[in-house]
Amino acid sequence: MSLVRLNIKGISYSQTQNGAYALILNEVDGDRKLPIVIGAFEAQSIAIALEKEISPPRPLTHDLFKNFADRFDIVIKQVIIHKLVDGVFYSSIICERDNVEEIIDARTSDAIALALRFQAPIFTYKNILDKAGIYLKINPEDEDDSESDSILVDDLIAEELETGSPKSSDNFKVKSIDELNVMLNEAVANEDYEKAAKIRDEISKR
């Protein structure tokens, strides 16, 4: 399968859902965008890495990893978004130390936050871009398409509401403890941590 290089266009936020962000990736040799819903912490970490002039007083988690890797001569060579399952993107970090290459599984938001800090290229497979990449119809006279990106985030959130996780703990009240534990394990396996937190809260109430 052929790899397609991606650039980071930026981070957009939802106009209707507080704390909902999307990382917008651009196809380097094309016009498609790959939007990925991410959490607020990861959005902050990526935004700080994009803004070279901003330096937090204490290292964030991804900065700590970079300092740790530098100390032990570990280099991130590239990040590959290699799988898309039920709307969840899976990524691999390709690392190298002493000319030995290792592949590490990672959440896509974490992988990209680290790729920025190591100035490592980001790739995905053509079939993933064919499946999830989109074209945005932008008015050519409008230099700032951030509003379109915000609408895009809202559309992504709406899609998740239709196909994915329940957003209210009321949906869990009819479930038994055993069923909730199974759902919790599935949510963690699918990296749906927002859903996992709601299920955990419901279990705690019991």
Side-chain angles (χ1 to χ4, degrees):
M1 290 183 288
S2 59
L3 287 172
V4 178
R5 184 162 181 177
L6 303 170
N7 281 339
I8 297 174
K9 178 182 182 295
I11 296 172
S12 186
Y13 63 92
S14 169
Q15 295 178 336
T16 60
Q17 298 286 330
N18 288 334
Y21 296 86
L23 176 67
I24 312 296
L25 302 174
N26 270 352
E27 180 183 15
V28 169
D29 296 319
D31 299 321
R32 287 176 292 184
K33 293 183 179 183
L34 189 66
I36 301 173
V37 176
I38 61 175
F41 171 78
E42 291 79 10
Q44 178 193 50
S45 181
I46 291 170
I48 287 174
L50 288 170
E51 295 291 336
K52 303 297 184 184
E53 296 178 3
I54 299 176
S55 179
R58 300 292 295 157
L60 300 176
T61 303
H62 299 108
D63 298 317
L64 176 62
F65 184 95
K66 174 67 163 60
N67 295 339
F68 181 90
D70 288 345
R71 185 68 58 89
F72 291 95
D73 297 322
I74 300 168
V75 177
I76 290 179
K77 306 293 289 184
Q78 61 184 8
V79 163
I80 300 176
I81 303 170
H82 65 85
K83 187 167 67 172
L84 173 60
V85 179
D86 296 330
V88 178
F89 292 91
Y90 294 78
S91 292
S92 295
I93 300 174
I94 315 301
C95 301
E96 185 178 272
R97 181 171 183 261
D98 295 335
N99 294 321
V100 177
E101 192 172 274
E102 298 285 350
I103 301 176
I104 299 174
D105 181 45
R107 293 190 305 164
T108 297
S109 53
D110 290 327
I112 290 175
L114 291 173
L116 280 168
R117 286 162 170 81
F118 283 87
Q119 298 183 338
I122 302 163
F123 297 93
T124 191
Y125 289 109
K126 182 179 181 298
N127 64 319
I128 292 177
L129 197 56
D130 290 341
K131 182 178 180 181
I134 61 172
Y135 293 95
L136 284 185
K137 294 181 180 178
I138 305 297
N139 184 344
E141 297 179 0
D142 188 1
E143 295 181 0
D144 183 8
D145 57 358
S146 59
E147 183 177 345
S148 298
D149 288 340
S150 296
I151 295 170
L152 169 63
V153 180
D154 292 334
D155 290 342
L156 290 171
I157 299 298
E159 248 180 63
E160 286 194 349
L161 285 169
E162 289 175 9
T163 62
S165 55
K167 297 297 177 183
S168 169
S169 59
D170 292 339
N171 297 316
F172 305 125
K173 288 183 177 178
V174 297
K175 303 292 185 182
S176 68
I177 289 290
D178 289 340
E179 288 174 324
L180 288 173
N181 281 317
V182 171
M183 292 173 66
L184 177 61
N185 291 334
E186 289 177 352
V188 172
N190 292 329
E191 299 182 4
D192 190 347
Y193 299 113
E194 182 181 355
K195 179 179 178 181
K198 291 180 182 297
I199 297 172
R200 183 201 58 211
D201 291 343
E202 180 64 27
I203 292 173
S204 298
K205 290 177 185 176
R206 305 284 182 92

